[in-house]
């Protein structure tokens, strides 16, 4: 993680400046498409209805998550596209990001259950943030996933 704390912003899609939108799409592509060698439709039409949590520091956008309202992806509100800049990993930034994401979601829509479609290899990580598996492992975009829920 960078030596200085990140500046966190949570913005609706229409408040994203072009450069910010470009940076978050670039980070999502760098990790989800290039690093994970997964060809999928990242721009799935949901971004305009979501809030975007941005953790910005000396290296620009270092952490990002998409906050999804209830009823859009799942019956419950959701956190998706959870990603950290590869160069910023190893110091717990992913855990900071998840704490910020849960707090921001609750601030937006109240304390409530949160459902995620997690990469199965990250189940233990998400368990540390109160998420429990609810169902079998399934394949999405060629990667093992599992739905997990955090009680409200």
């Amino acid at each position: 993680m960078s030596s200085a704390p990140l500046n966190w912003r949570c913005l609706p899609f229409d408040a994203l400046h072009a450069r910010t939108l470009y940076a978050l799409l670039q980070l999502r592509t760098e990790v989800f498409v290039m690093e994970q060698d997964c060809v999928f439709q990242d721009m799935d039409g949901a971004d305009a209805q979501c809030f975007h949590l941005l953790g910005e520091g000396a290296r620009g956008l270092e952490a990002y998550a998409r906050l999804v309202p209830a009823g859009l992806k799942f019956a419950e509100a959701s956190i998706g596209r959870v990603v950290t800049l590869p160069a910023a990993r190893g110091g717990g930034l992913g855990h900071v990001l998840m704490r910020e994401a849960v707090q921001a979601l609750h601030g937006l829509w109240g304390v409530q259950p949160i459902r995620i479609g997690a990469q199965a290899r990250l189940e233990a990580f998400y368990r540390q943030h109160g998420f429990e598996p609810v169902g079998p492992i399934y394949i999405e975009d060629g990667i093992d996933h599992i739905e997990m829920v955090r009680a409200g």
Side-chain angles (χ1 to χ4, degrees):
M1 187 160 58
S2 61
S3 55
L6 298 185
N7 176 45
W8 293 95
R9 297 187 296 155
C10 184
L11 300 172
F13 184 80
D14 288 337
L16 295 171
H17 293 292
R19 288 183 186 276
T20 303
L21 178 60
Y22 185 90
L24 74 85
L25 293 173
Q26 185 177 40
L27 178 58
R28 286 176 9 184
T29 300
E30 177 182 353
V31 173
F32 298 133
V33 178
M34 304 303 292
E35 180 181 296
Q36 296 179 2
D37 194 24
C38 181
V39 176
F40 79 111
Q41 184 63 44
D42 177 42
M43 290 172 272
D44 58 1
D47 285 316
Q49 300 165 68
C50 298
F51 279 77
H52 303 271
L53 180 65
L54 308 155
E56 298 160 314
R59 293 178 275 218
L61 183 61
E62 296 186 29
Y64 168 84
R66 181 168 80 171
L67 307 181
V68 184
L72 185 56
K73 291 286 184 181
F74 301 108
E76 303 88 350
S78 183
I79 298 169
R81 302 293 198 267
V82 176
V83 62
T84 57
L85 183 69
R89 293 182 190 151
L93 180 55
H95 292 290
V96 174
L97 172 58
M98 281 307 298
R99 286 191 298 271
E100 291 283 341
V102 169
Q103 182 180 3
L105 188 149
H106 287 164
L108 287 167
W109 302 308
V111 175
Q112 60 186 287
I114 302 169
R115 182 177 296 261
I116 61 174
Q119 289 187 11
R121 68 181 181 82
L122 297 173
E123 180 181 334
F125 169 83
Y126 288 112
R127 279 181 179 268
Q128 292 179 61
H129 295 277
F131 290 89
E132 293 296 330
V134 290
I137 291 177
Y138 61 94
I139 305 295
E140 182 177 311
D141 301 317
I143 297 173
D144 287 351
H145 280 73
I146 188 164
E147 285 190 16
M148 302 182 78
V149 173
R150 184 182 194 275

